[in-house]
Amino acid sequence: MVDQTAAPEKQSKWPDIDFKTLGPAIALLILCVIGYLLNPAFLSEGNITNLLTRSAFIGIIAVGATFVITAGGIDLSVGSMAAVIAGLMIIIMNSAVDTLGTGVATVILGCGCSIILGIGAGWINGFLTTKGKIEAFIVTLGTMGIFRSLVTYFADGGTLSLNFDLRGTYRPVYYESVLGLPVPVWVFIFVAIAGWILLNRTAFGRFCTAIGSSEAVAKYSAIKVDRIKTYTYIIQGLCVALATIIYVPRLGSASGTTGVLWELEAIAAVIIGGTVLKGGYGRIGGTILGALILTTIGNILNFTDVISNYLNGTMQGLIIIVAVWLQRGSWGKNKKKTT
Amino acid sequence: MVDQTAAPEKQSKWPDIDFKTLGPAIALLILCVIGYLLNPAFLSEGNITNLLTRSAFIGIIAVGATFVITAGGIDLSVGSMAAVIAGLMIIIMNSAVDTLGTGVATVILGCGCSIILGIGAGWINGFLTTKGKIEAFIVTLGTMGIFRSLVTYFADGGTLSLNFDLRGTYRPVYYESVLGLPVPVWVFIFVAIAGWILLNRTAFGRFCTAIGSSEAVAKYSAIKVDRIKTYTYIIQGLCVALATIIYVPRLGSASGTTGVLWELEAIAAVIIGGTVLKGGYGRIGGTILGALILTTIGNILNFTDVISNYLNGTMQGLIIIVAVWLQRGSWGKNKKKTT
Amino acid sequence: MDDSSNKAVLLADRISKSFGEVPVLFSVNFDVQAGEVHALIGENGAGKSTLMKILGGFHAPTSGNLIYDGEETVLPPNGQAEALGIVLIHQELNLAEQMTVEENIFLGRELSRNGFLDRKEMSQKVASWLQEVGMNISPNDRISELSIAEKQMVEIVKAMSRDARVLIMDEPTAVLTDAETELFFQQVEKLKKRGVAIIFVSHKLAEVNQIADRVTILRDGQWIATKPVDELSLDSMAQMMVGRELSNLYPPKNEADVDSDIVLQVQNLVAPNVNNVSFELRKGEILGFSGLVGSGRTALFEAICGLSSIEEGQVYLDGQPVQFKNVAEARDAGVTYLTKDRKGRGLLLEKTMRPNLTLMALPKFVKNFMMDTAAEEEALKRGIRRFDIRARDPKVKVGDMSGGNQQKLLLAKIMECDPRIVIIDEPTRGIDVGTKQQIYHFIAALAADGMSVVVISSEMPEIIGVCHRVAVMREGRITGVVTGNDNNETEIVRYAAGLKEARVHG
Amino acid sequence: QEDKIKIGVSYPTPTHAWAAGMNWHAEQAEKRLEELYPDVDLILVNSPDSGQQANAIEDLVSAHGIDALVVLPFESDPLTDPVLNAKKSGALITVVDRGLSQPNIEDIYVAGNNPELGRVSAQYMKTRLNEGDNIVILRGIPTVIDNERFDAFMEEIEGSGINVLDHKHANWNRDDGFEVMQDFLSRFPDIDAVWAQDDDIAIGVMAALEQASRDDDGIFVVGGAGMKQIIKRISEGDELIPVDVLYPPAMIATAMDVTVNAFKSNGPVAGRYILGATLITQENAMDFYFPDSPF
Ligand SMILES: Nc1ncnc2c1ncn2[C@@H]1O[C@H](COP(=O)(O)OP(=O)(O)OP(=O)(O)O)[C@@H](O)[C@H]1O
Ligand SMILES: Nc1ncnc2c1ncn2[C@@H]1O[C@H](COP(=O)(O)OP(=O)(O)OP(=O)(O)O)[C@@H](O)[C@H]1O
Ligand SMILES: [Mg+2]
Ligand SMILES: [Mg+2]
């Protein structure tokens, strides 16, 4: 609402386009400069690669979240979903070692199951939201608790670990590079492009935006609101599954603490990127930048010990607020406003 | 949006009023019956008192959250805010012992500071949201991180403990009963009644509803939107301060883990109670019941060992979803609906 | 003009307004005196609403002055001018949907006693006001549960309750039926006698003729004339608005072929607010639906198009039984419904014209799984031309377009679906005479091309002028169908009011 | 700067008192060692979860080019690979508290003994309780550590005739300890002892006992880890909390000492240092009392 009412005030077109589109990019740039000034190693190839690879998890999940949020929903369950999918993947792969061995076949089986699980979990969220007519916030808060406790249960309170030999087979998916870029980054790029096309260049993306703008108008415009909304949750589930597929080889394990607070990070990435939380306007490009910004903040804080470790959270919070404030460009307009 | 479009579907007045108002009450009743069947001690006076006292924290915070949400905002920072206020209160009281002694004066000073801090923290959230034109989600996600890391910093990562003698003076605020009810329950009752009156019987309550319903309409009705929204965050801060005042004497300590996830619990209580997450419709009575429902779920799970400990989260999630589903009454209408 | 401006309560002196680079008003003069009704007319997008908003303080003029009570004034923003006695009823409904009638009427001006709301007092007042305008709703009803007409009446009650010295009303009657308009005008007369200065915007020229004392005509943001109403005939008003001679408003009726195929047949339909309705629609026919507000016309067609559920009865399309589960199925079968609630259900106000235009027919604009933006652009150009949509800035948000142009866009949107049967609910709501004429001709052309059209309208002349046959509904039933010579106002009103009821066989 | 010996120290963000104590000891050790050896730079980083700890270790290697890594893993399995990568970069690896899931990665291993903590607690219970007595258990956060402690406790208590009425997770948190204990007290009229496993939980448990006025009928609480307030009460002969089982937060300092030594002493330093789970009683309490530590 804030954005809707604020929008008409913008008198000239220039600063508007500027900030919505370039805002997150500028924020990221400033962060990079700060990082470099703190420690030139920040711009070393190794660090850049690390940064991109790390952003991949949250970034991929956030692409899914962009669809959910654009269509006016919200998904709080993604972190727990990632944990439970990782857990089940590991269980399935470990038990498939007996029959399929520790080769690629088992890994592919695991990835396949991951995708099926992601789609299934997304469908549950979507179904309960649309057919059950329960607020998305409640549904996904509920499934968040359920998924998280399920993974703890499967792991018997401890950690589920991938068979050691299997880990060798699976490792390259996280650690290898193709054409100079690590595999997770490629997956990220792929998901980002696919997401961008889907949101901006297909009828489906239009439907999401329309539903987020006004469900009633969408319904009267021959859009199958419930179905499309369910699809957004399924896309979210799929993205979580993909993120999990590249997460598992990294740490080779899953536990009750896997993916804690990823949901907030993902949503934050989406909002920092310029998507409107109440729906109706989504920007995949912004989301990608949002994910990069969040990862960079963490990275920079690891690069310096000027600040007490305890105050990391303070820095993170401040930077997020300032980044969004800068990009919303409200500082330029404040005095023009009448209220 | 869901709710706005759903509303016109309701054909007869009866079932509508029924479920919105009585739904949470029925859900609570069912829970109590289950609790009693699992273990008759559930209805013992001691347990009921424990339950009510525990609900007081979340309940008081949730009353504040009802205002914020009704006016179309959200506050994710309440748990961390409680922690940082508790921490500062303890620091202030401990250092006042030298001058004011360990008597009531110091406790009153502490409580006064708590209220000032709560109002201040709420004002910061409100100011950044309204004047900074930053989404409430981002602002309060940021302040959530900031508050949480501040308390960890103050406590040096550990626990801040109240001076032992002071604790003796302050203890009764949590542990004593007046007319058969513990003090926190009285505070809860007071806050609930004050909140109910404010929301339902004053112009301010109407302004909140109007803003949540449509900011444009509210603005065109000469309502000072920014100011009212800021007030809702200040009320939220005040409620957090009150909750903290009754929390501190319980264990006399605060740490980085104090109040973790209270924000989600408070918001869940509000939504379970029937308030609409996107704003425009708030129910204090429902919020109270929502808080009681959440506490009761936790209590019941401690009263039985039929379910694996690890699955507590699953039960909690399921019960929340089912409770909301029941009260939304969509099960009766499903077949009449078309998409 | 000169002598009148002395007595003017509110006077606009050479007002200009631009939105960004787009100029909308050019040095317009306007004034209103105590105890008079001053009507403002003009084509869609002429700048009437913009001028009203400036007079109400909601927009600041780019240049020019407002003189209130003889003093140059800068009005406070956001409806705070109400405190000065200037009240505006917006063209677009401006109510908080989830709140009750009473809460809305007193919004921002609540009566309190000792800091607590005096709910009894407010409730009583609202109840008596509602009664005065003949409204049969409770102060505790939620706005979201009211029909559009009822919402408009609530707006009117809200405005009239505010002890205005200047009451500005932007198309208050657009969604009202004649009966309601009549009640409304009685209130206006009362206010006038009390010395309130009233500004009235409408596209219904007959109404203007009836209620106004003076008329100002605006064209393309320019002031054209201000005249006492007696010096103007309906035709001259229309002519001055449009800037050219208007031929006959309604197209000649070529009688529909009574033997042509029945494309849509409805038998004993029971649905929410619809009670056992049967009718049939032939190829090339224009079938009107008349009735009072809330008679169930909208409910009937929403049920047919899959927007609400059918409880009993059967719908046949080309003789085949059908039951659409959603709008998409109806659209794919060639049946489309244009809603009367253009703001709430018709258009995405935050988006520009293009996505709105193609939204309903989106599958048509997909090429290789991608949106074909070129085709969309093409469609937009076509739509703009065909329906004469005038938006000075093609990238303007639909919510910022003038009401009439929104309506035209909505029509264009429906037509993108290439329907065989098109159901238009209140097709000309808020549309100027010139464009109305175009739309009527357009409907006639559709029928001539072999399409079937259902026109739901509360404007009696429109129904009579355009339709071959008219079904009249009352309380969810069809009480009669009139054709030929019976297709006249008295006959329809008798059916609508329940004075007469025919046994209608399916 | 280049010629300095850089030692990265990575451990979980202190979110409960024990970890805060560990953090305090680490900071003390940093100050002490950097003063003692000007050419040693210790870099302390904490992380809130496994994934971020992996990030932090990567950053220690890539940005700081560490010569040695002292790591207290958030969880064993997930951090095995990242630590292995650090080792591949040539760093000396010291693992603290939680072993990695593959052998031979670490050069030095310094750890407490979780099963021992459970066992010692159970043994003490057996000395105080008789057959047919009832106890309740408040566990930590569901993790491997909690499982190890719990399983060892149950194994030891088996056959003694002591009834374990129920066990619930109190997440090493005071508030949870308080609430779970309140409910145990409503549920079970006869409880003879409580194994709280951790001193934070024990504090909550004692508050609940006090509230229900059941703190003076001979019931006692066994905590764990060695929080200063608890140790103080033990030293004063408190009946309610007669003993504590040590799980020293200072182990990280030990590990840092040993690691620095590996660079400073001539002989090779390697091996395993397992610190016992000492039973703290009134007699030896003052040996474990650090009034300045936050823990
Ligand atoms: N906030 C705005 N931003 C940009 N353009 C605007 C805005 N408001 C109005 N306009 C433009 O100003 C012009 C005049 O609109 P206005 O609403 O005043 O017309 P109107 O005479 O009331 O027409 P109608 O009879 O259709 O209601 C239109 O072209 C419209 O698009
Ligand atoms: N969304 C709704 N919620 C509640 N009641 C409704 C709703 N829509 C229609 N009704 C009621 O159903 C009845 C029929 O309404 P409907 O809109 O079909 O009438 P209509 O003849 O189209 O009237 P109008 O002249 O307003 O277009 C009325 O009593 C109306 O109040
Ligand atoms: Mg207009
Ligand atoms: Mg150092």
Side-chain angles (χ1 to χ4, degrees):
Chain A
M1 251 311 176
V2 176
D3 307 76
Q4 298 173 0
T5 28
E9 311 278 343
K10 284 162 205 142
Q11 302 298 353
S12 96
K13 275 270 153 77
W14 254 116
D16 179 24
I17 290 175
D18 233 357
F19 284 110
K20 277 271 176 197
T21 329
L22 295 184
I26 293 170
L28 183 58
L29 209 71
I30 295 175
L31 277 177
C32 289
V33 171
I34 294 174
Y36 181 75
L37 293 179
L38 283 173
N39 192 333
F42 176 83
L43 286 188
S44 67
E45 196 199 317
N47 190 54
I48 299 282
T49 312
N50 282 346
L51 233 165
L52 289 174
T53 318
R54 272 176 221 170
S55 312
F57 300 132
I58 283 304
I60 291 171
I61 294 177
V63 167
T66 310
F67 284 92
V68 172
I69 293 174
T70 302
I74 192 148
D75 192 342
L76 298 174
S77 72
V78 291
S80 314
M81 196 192 287
V84 78
I85 293 177
L88 286 170
M89 244 179 111
I90 290 172
I91 293 176
I92 290 168
M93 288 195 285
N94 282 351
S95 58
V97 167
D98 292 340
T99 47
L100 292 177
T102 59
V104 179
T106 311
V107 171
I108 290 176
L109 173 77
C111 296
C113 288
S114 164
I115 286 176
I116 291 169
L117 288 167
I119 291 175
W123 180 81
I124 290 174
N125 281 337
F127 178 81
L128 288 173
T129 313
T130 55
K131 296 297 172 199
K133 308 248 166 278
I134 313 174
E135 286 83 349
F137 189 92
I138 291 288
V139 167
T140 56
L141 186 70
T143 52
M144 164 173 138
I146 294 173
F147 294 151
R148 175 120 353 254
S149 88
L150 281 180
V151 67
T152 318
Y153 178 74
F154 293 141
D156 217 357
T159 309
L160 286 161
S161 298
L162 193 58
N163 175 296
F164 188 74
D165 297 321
L166 212 49
R167 214 182 290 184
T169 321
Y170 199 173
R171 261 184 69 89
V173 172
Y174 183 82
Y175 288 98
E176 285 299 294
S177 288
V178 176
L179 304 175
L181 281 180
V183 180
V185 178
W186 283 113
V187 178
F188 187 21
I189 292 173
F190 165 78
V191 170
I193 293 176
W196 190 86
I197 291 175
L198 196 57
L199 188 61
N200 296 298
R201 289 285 177 271
T202 70
F204 177 78
R206 248 346 137 69
F207 291 157
C208 293
T209 316
I211 291 172
S213 278
S214 162
E215 253 180 59
V217 171
K219 180 176 150 186
Y220 275 76
S221 302
I223 295 172
K224 288 171 186 141
V225 176
D226 283 356
R227 185 176 305 178
I228 302 290
K229 278 169 81 179
T230 307
Y231 284 155
T232 63
Y233 289 96
I234 290 177
I235 290 173
Q236 173 73 87
L238 189 64
C239 288
V240 171
L242 285 172
T244 309
I245 287 175
I246 55 172
Y247 173 82
V248 169
R250 173 168 197 203
L251 303 179
S253 67
S255 74
T257 55
T258 302
V260 168
L261 293 187
W262 281 9
E263 48 278 346
L264 286 187
E265 263 191 76
I267 297 171
V270 173
I271 309 292
I272 291 174
T275 296
V276 175
L277 185 61
K278 305 223 166 185
Y281 181 73
R283 286 187 6 89
I284 295 281
T287 297
I288 311 295
L289 290 171
L292 287 170
I293 288 175
L294 286 178
T295 324
T296 309
I297 295 174
N299 184 248
I300 288 179
L301 291 174
N302 279 345
F303 260 69
T304 165
D305 52 2
V306 262
I307 302 156
S308 159
N309 271 324
Y310 295 134
L311 292 179
N312 273 5
T314 304
M315 296 310 299
Q316 232 153 0
L318 283 177
I319 296 173
I320 289 174
I321 292 178
V322 170
V324 174
W325 179 70
L326 278 178
Q327 79 160 282
R328 294 298 184 265
S330 48
W331 34 276
K333 283 169 199 160
N334 242 351
K335 62 174 192 287
K336 278 198 221 156
K337 285 270 309 180
T338 46
T339 300
Chain B
M1 253 309 175
V2 177
D3 306 77
Q4 297 175 1
T5 30
E9 311 278 342
K10 283 159 205 144
Q11 303 298 352
S12 97
K13 277 265 154 82
W14 256 115
D16 178 25
I17 291 174
D18 233 356
F19 284 111
K20 278 268 175 197
T21 329
L22 295 183
I26 292 170
L28 182 60
L29 210 72
I30 294 174
L31 277 177
C32 288
V33 171
I34 294 174
Y36 181 74
L37 292 179
L38 283 172
N39 193 332
F42 176 81
L43 286 188
S44 66
E45 196 199 316
N47 191 54
I48 298 283
T49 313
N50 284 345
L51 234 165
L52 288 175
T53 318
R54 265 180 229 172
S55 312
F57 299 133
I58 283 305
I60 291 171
I61 295 176
V63 167
T66 311
F67 284 92
V68 173
I69 293 174
T70 300
I74 192 148
D75 191 343
L76 297 176
S77 72
V78 292
S80 315
M81 197 193 287
V84 79
I85 293 177
L88 286 171
M89 245 180 110
I90 291 173
I91 293 175
I92 290 169
M93 288 195 284
N94 282 351
S95 59
V97 167
D98 293 339
T99 47
L100 291 177
T102 59
V104 179
T106 312
V107 172
I108 290 177
L109 172 78
C111 295
C113 289
S114 163
I115 286 177
I116 291 168
L117 288 168
I119 291 175
W123 180 81
I124 291 174
N125 281 337
F127 177 82
L128 289 173
T129 313
T130 55
K131 297 295 172 201
K133 309 252 167 274
I134 313 173
E135 287 83 349
F137 189 92
I138 291 289
V139 168
T140 58
L141 187 69
T143 52
M144 164 171 138
I146 294 174
F147 293 152
R148 171 110 11 244
S149 88
L150 282 181
V151 67
T152 319
Y153 178 72
F154 294 141
D156 213 359
T159 308
L160 287 160
S161 296
L162 193 58
N163 174 297
F164 190 76
D165 298 319
L166 212 50
R167 211 179 295 181
T169 320
Y170 200 174
R171 258 184 71 89
V173 172
Y174 183 84
Y175 289 100
E176 284 299 293
S177 288
V178 176
L179 301 176
L181 283 180
V183 179
V185 178
W186 283 113
V187 178
F188 186 21
I189 292 173
F190 166 77
V191 170
I193 292 176
W196 188 86
I197 291 175
L198 194 58
L199 188 62
N200 295 297
R201 290 288 177 271
T202 69
F204 175 78
R206 290 213 175 159
F207 294 165
C208 294
T209 316
I211 291 171
S213 200
S214 160
E215 250 178 62
V217 170
K219 192 173 131 189
Y220 278 9
S221 302
I223 294 173
K224 299 197 171 89
V225 175
D226 282 357
R227 184 177 307 177
I228 300 289
K229 278 167 83 179
T230 308
Y231 284 156
T232 64
Y233 288 96
I234 290 178
I235 290 175
Q236 173 74 84
L238 189 64
C239 287
V240 171
L242 284 173
T244 311
I245 288 176
I246 55 170
Y247 170 82
V248 168
R250 176 158 117 177
L251 297 175
S253 63
S255 74
T257 52
T258 301
V260 167
L261 292 188
W262 283 8
E263 47 279 344
L264 284 187
E265 265 191 74
I267 297 171
V270 173
I271 310 292
I272 291 175
T275 296
V276 175
L277 185 62
K278 306 223 166 182
Y281 182 74
R283 286 186 9 86
I284 296 281
T287 298
I288 311 295
L289 290 170
L292 287 171
I293 289 174
L294 286 177
T295 324
T296 309
I297 295 174
N299 184 248
I300 287 178
L301 290 173
N302 279 343
F303 261 76
T304 168
D305 50 6
V306 267
I307 302 154
S308 158
N309 272 330
Y310 299 137
L311 291 179
N312 273 4
T314 305
M315 295 310 299
Q316 235 152 0
L318 282 177
I319 295 174
I320 290 175
I321 292 178
V322 171
V324 174
W325 179 69
L326 278 178
Q327 76 162 285
R328 295 297 184 262
S330 48
W331 34 277
K333 285 172 198 158
N334 240 352
K335 61 177 196 290
K336 280 198 217 157
K337 285 274 306 180
T338 48
T339 310
Chain C
M1 170 98 194
D2 288 332
D3 59 319
S4 66
S5 60
N6 302 333
K7 291 177 285 169
V9 187
L10 183 62
L11 183 142
D13 181 27
R14 279 172 287 144
I15 294 280
S16 298
K17 175 75 183 171
S18 316
F19 291 103
E21 305 288 288
V22 185
V24 169
L25 289 177
F26 304 88
S27 196
V28 172
N29 290 315
F30 189 86
D31 72 279
V32 63
Q33 300 167 13
E36 78 158 349
V37 175
H38 191 161
L40 179 66
I41 59 175
E43 281 181 297
N44 294 131
K48 302 181 294 296
S49 299
T50 307
L51 180 59
M52 295 303 101
K53 284 184 186 159
I54 290 172
L55 292 176
F58 289 87
H59 283 325
T62 315
S63 70
N65 297 317
L66 289 182
I67 293 156
Y68 186 48
D69 274 339
E71 291 194 25
E72 206 171 288
T73 317
V74 175
L75 293 176
N78 296 330
Q80 290 164 46
E82 259 182 38
L84 304 176
I86 302 176
V87 176
L88 170 64
I89 302 178
H90 292 264
Q91 177 173 17
E92 300 303 342
L93 291 170
N94 197 35
L95 298 168
E97 288 278 320
Q98 288 115 309
M99 298 176 81
T100 66
V101 172
E102 178 247 309
E103 287 170 340
N104 266 287
I105 288 178
F106 275 101
L107 190 59
R109 276 195 345 151
E110 287 76 5
L111 303 180
S112 294
R113 198 182 287 163
N114 309 324
F116 296 105
L117 292 174
D118 193 345
R119 301 189 332 138
K120 212 168 123 208
E121 172 88 17
M122 288 193 284
S123 208
Q124 275 170 0
K125 284 198 165 164
V126 169
S128 73
W129 289 331
L130 288 174
Q131 202 169 10
E132 241 176 277
V133 296
M135 278 192 77
N136 184 23
I137 57 172
S138 146
N140 297 323
D141 285 348
R142 279 193 196 287
I143 298 296
S144 58
E145 287 161 12
L146 302 181
S147 73
I148 297 198
E150 285 168 330
K151 289 180 192 173
Q152 183 65 56
M153 289 304 279
V154 171
E155 284 265 27
I156 290 167
V157 170
K158 177 177 172 183
M160 296 204 292
S161 74
R162 304 222 156 170
D163 283 332
R165 292 188 54 220
V166 179
L167 180 57
I168 307 169
M169 300 185 288
D170 198 352
E171 299 200 34
T173 58
V175 299
L176 302 186
T177 56
D178 294 346
E180 287 166 312
T181 306
E182 211 43 57
L183 280 168
F184 164 59
F185 280 172
Q186 287 170 16
Q187 301 300 318
V188 173
E189 289 294 348
K190 265 193 222 162
L191 293 175
K192 203 168 127 177
K193 285 208 190 78
R194 254 192 264 154
V196 179
I198 295 166
I199 308 176
F200 177 70
V201 178
S202 177
H203 288 292
K204 300 180 181 176
L205 300 181
E207 286 177 0
V208 170
N209 203 19
Q210 180 190 344
I211 194 84
D213 300 303
R214 284 192 298 158
V215 179
T216 291
I217 295 141
L218 221 54
R219 192 195 309 149
D220 288 338
Q222 315 261 10
W223 177 85
I224 300 296
T226 301
K227 290 193 174 168
V229 75
D230 328 326
E231 294 175 19
L232 290 164
S233 69
L234 292 187
D235 282 339
S236 61
M237 278 193 238
Q239 192 183 331
M240 287 168 86
M241 271 169 63
V242 188
R244 62 186 152 92
E245 193 82 33
L246 272 184
S247 56
N248 204 349
L249 188 56
Y250 299 105
K253 258 192 238 181
N254 37 358
E255 279 308 313
D257 183 357
V258 276
D259 296 327
S260 63
D261 304 335
I262 294 175
V263 284
L264 181 73
Q265 186 178 16
V266 173
Q267 265 180 6
N268 305 101
L269 188 83
V270 179
N273 296 316
V274 176
N275 185 7
N276 194 12
V277 166
S278 306
F279 72 92
E280 51 202 36
L281 177 68
R282 288 174 190 278
K283 189 165 152 50
E285 183 181 34
I286 304 172
L287 175 61
F289 269 81
S290 187
L292 301 178
V293 168
S295 54
R297 297 163 297 176
T298 299
L300 169 63
F301 285 96
E302 291 198 342
I304 291 172
C305 294
L307 281 155
S308 65
S309 51
I310 292 179
E311 283 153 24
E312 275 170 47
Q314 187 59 55
V315 178
Y316 298 92
L317 189 66
D318 298 327
Q320 299 299 315
V322 287
Q323 178 159 4
F324 303 125
K325 284 203 295 294
N326 52 48
V327 185
E329 284 183 13
R331 175 198 62 196
D332 295 341
V335 184
T336 54
Y337 167 74
L338 178 146
T339 174
K340 64 185 169 190
D341 182 2
R342 68 170 173 252
K343 203 181 170 192
R345 295 167 178 172
L347 296 169
L348 299 172
L349 301 176
E350 290 300 310
K351 305 285 168 201
T352 56
M353 285 195 279
R354 179 158 62 89
N356 267 293
L357 178 76
T358 56
L359 191 61
M360 194 162 182
L362 215 52
K364 207 173 87 176
F365 295 96
V366 173
K367 206 162 84 184
N368 304 327
F369 300 105
M370 298 282 173
M371 292 304 308
D372 184 352
T373 17
E376 279 187 279
E377 248 352 295
E378 203 49 47
L380 181 60
K381 276 199 203 120
R382 197 166 358 108
I384 287 178
R385 202 172 347 106
R386 198 163 165 202
F387 292 94
D388 188 26
I389 301 172
R390 295 186 202 169
R392 281 167 220 193
D393 171 6
K395 289 267 174 276
V396 71
K397 281 197 297 181
V398 166
D400 287 339
M401 282 168 56
S402 85
N405 282 307
Q406 290 178 10
Q407 184 70 25
K408 296 187 221 166
L409 179 64
L410 190 56
L411 266 170
K413 167 181 166 180
I414 295 299
M415 288 308 155
E416 281 305 321
C417 300
D418 304 320
R420 292 195 303 134
I421 300 175
V422 56
I423 301 143
I424 317 179
D425 207 348
E426 307 291 355
T428 59
R429 186 166 275 180
I431 281 188
D432 68 54
V433 270
T435 317
K436 248 183 196 172
Q437 183 196 34
Q438 285 168 268
I439 288 175
Y440 296 146
H441 282 87
F442 176 75
I443 290 174
L446 289 181
D449 279 353
M451 263 188 233
S452 308
V453 184
V454 172
V455 175
I456 306 173
S457 174
S458 302
E459 270 188 64
M460 206 66 83
E462 167 172 297
I463 281 267
I464 295 166
V466 181
C467 301
H468 298 131
R469 265 192 319 148
V470 178
V472 188
M473 284 187 75
R474 180 181 168 74
E475 288 168 0
R477 286 168 291 119
I478 293 185
T479 49
V481 179
V482 295
T483 39
N485 289 338
D486 284 346
N487 190 354
N488 63 51
E489 195 152 343
T490 21
E491 197 69 1
I492 291 175
V493 166
R494 288 175 69 191
Y495 281 117
L499 301 174
K500 190 171 170 186
E501 177 155 356
R503 290 234 68 76
V504 184
H505 301 285
Chain D
Q1 210 200 343
E2 280 309 300
D3 45 337
K4 275 201 174 188
I5 301 166
K6 289 194 173 182
I7 301 176
V9 184
S10 162
Y11 49 90
T13 302
T15 50
H16 55 280
W18 184 85
M22 176 197 60
N23 181 63
W24 182 79
H25 284 289
E27 284 174 353
Q28 297 303 113
E30 179 191 18
K31 228 183 285 163
R32 179 166 46 80
L33 289 167
E34 284 182 354
E35 235 160 63
L36 196 60
Y37 306 108
D39 60 335
V40 169
D41 184 8
L42 288 151
I43 303 147
L44 272 49
V45 191
N46 64 47
S47 318
D49 61 49
S50 304
Q52 300 215 33
Q53 192 172 18
N55 294 347
I57 292 172
E58 278 175 5
D59 291 343
L60 282 172
V61 173
S62 68
H64 296 284
I66 48 170
D67 303 298
L69 174 69
V70 177
V71 56
L72 195 161
F74 204 94
E75 291 170 292
S76 306
D77 289 300
L79 285 155
T80 300
D81 261 351
V83 174
L84 191 60
N85 283 343
K87 186 183 176 70
K88 283 182 186 154
S89 81
L92 177 88
I93 304 292
T94 302
V95 173
V96 190
D97 189 26
R98 294 154 213 188
L100 298 175
S101 57
Q102 283 172 55
N104 303 329
I105 297 177
E106 69 272 11
D107 302 287
I108 302 169
Y109 181 55
V110 180
N113 194 330
N114 282 309
E116 185 69 12
L117 186 144
R119 214 169 298 126
V120 169
S121 306
Q123 280 159 358
Y124 179 76
M125 291 280 181
K126 286 201 286 190
T127 65
R128 288 281 309 263
L129 298 174
N130 304 316
E131 223 179 290
D133 281 349
N134 298 320
I135 63 170
V136 290
I137 301 174
L138 290 92
R139 307 175 56 172
I141 295 170
T143 50
V144 178
I145 299 170
D146 176 64
N147 285 352
E148 284 177 357
R149 293 179 179 181
F150 177 75
D151 292 343
F153 182 94
M154 293 306 277
E155 198 177 303
E156 185 67 32
I157 208 88
E158 211 183 276
S160 66
I162 297 171
N163 301 322
V164 176
L165 294 171
D166 198 2
H167 54 93
K168 295 272 178 217
H169 290 279
N171 307 319
W172 292 319
N173 178 301
R174 293 181 184 197
D175 291 314
D176 292 352
F178 181 77
E179 292 187 0
V180 172
M181 194 62 210
Q182 273 191 332
D183 290 345
F184 277 159
L185 289 171
S186 304
R187 211 174 131 191
F188 305 115
D190 179 22
I191 301 172
D192 298 295
V194 183
W195 183 40
Q197 204 210 72
D198 171 85
D199 290 338
D200 263 322
I201 300 179
I203 283 180
V205 167
M206 288 188 288
L209 286 169
E210 224 171 301
Q211 181 199 24
S213 304
R214 277 167 72 172
D215 53 340
D216 48 8
D217 59 355
I219 194 170
F220 65 91
V221 182
V222 177
M227 181 188 291
K228 63 180 180 188
Q229 291 94 331
I230 299 281
I231 294 184
K232 187 143 177 287
R233 285 179 76 162
I234 293 171
S235 72
E236 288 161 0
D238 199 312
E239 296 279 298
L240 191 57
I241 179 125
V243 295
D244 202 32
V245 184
L246 184 67
Y247 195 78
M251 65 175 75
I252 189 113
T254 312
M256 287 160 70
D257 278 332
V258 177
T259 310
V260 171
N261 252 328
F263 288 92
K264 289 295 164 189
S265 72
N266 299 325
V269 177
R272 301 169 68 76
Y273 302 78
I274 306 295
L275 311 174
T278 317
L279 187 71
I280 304 175
T281 60
Q282 191 177 2
E283 286 70 46
N284 63 1
M286 287 326 277
D287 301 343
F288 303 95
Y289 188 56
F290 299 97
D292 294 337
S293 160
F295 185 59

